Amino acid sequence: PVPADCREEQYPCTRLYSVHKPCKQCLNEICFYSLRRVYVINKEICVRTVCAHEELLRADLCRDKFSKCGVMATSGLCQSVGASCARSCGGC
């Protein structure tokens, strides 16, 4: 059960799996199979629980750590730090 101030959120996620794939090899008329390890990238939809109190805490930490993002956004200089702000706090 999800607490009252929380919600489940879907997001795209990528997982890497290791599998053994049979590979046929032939020498003249003699053929045999060997198992080779290959990696498969599987794009999935994952689910996470997001709670309001955690979002507020994350926003406070982000604001404290990256206060220049807010200052730059209000002063019209967002483009100069846009990339670093987007990575840290979701953009200007």
Side-chain angles (χ1 to χ4, degrees):
V2 179
D5 69 335
C6 300
R7 69 182 190 286
E8 287 190 341
E9 184 178 89
Q10 293 184 341
Y11 65 99
C13 57
T14 303
R15 296 186 183 184
L16 184 68
Y17 294 99
S18 168
V19 294
H20 287 93
K21 181 179 177 182
C23 182
K24 183 178 180 180
Q25 295 177 325
C26 295
L27 296 172
N28 297 329
E29 296 173 0
I30 301 173
C31 294
F32 59 94
Y33 287 89
S34 62
L35 289 177
R36 292 195 176 168
R37 181 180 291 196
V38 294
Y39 295 94
V40 178
I41 296 175
N42 196 7
K43 294 183 179 179
E44 301 175 2
I45 300 294
C46 296
V47 177
R48 63 180 159 217
T49 302
V50 179
C51 298
H53 62 276
E54 292 172 354
E55 285 183 317
L56 290 173
L57 179 63
R58 190 177 305 123
D60 286 343
L61 289 171
C62 191
R63 196 169 27 258
D64 292 344
K65 188 173 181 183
F66 297 97
S67 59
K68 72 175 182 179
C69 296
V71 172
M72 294 294 197
T74 56
S75 62
L77 299 171
C78 186
Q79 297 300 326
S80 62
V81 292
S84 62
C85 291
R87 283 194 304 272
S88 60
C89 299
C92 293

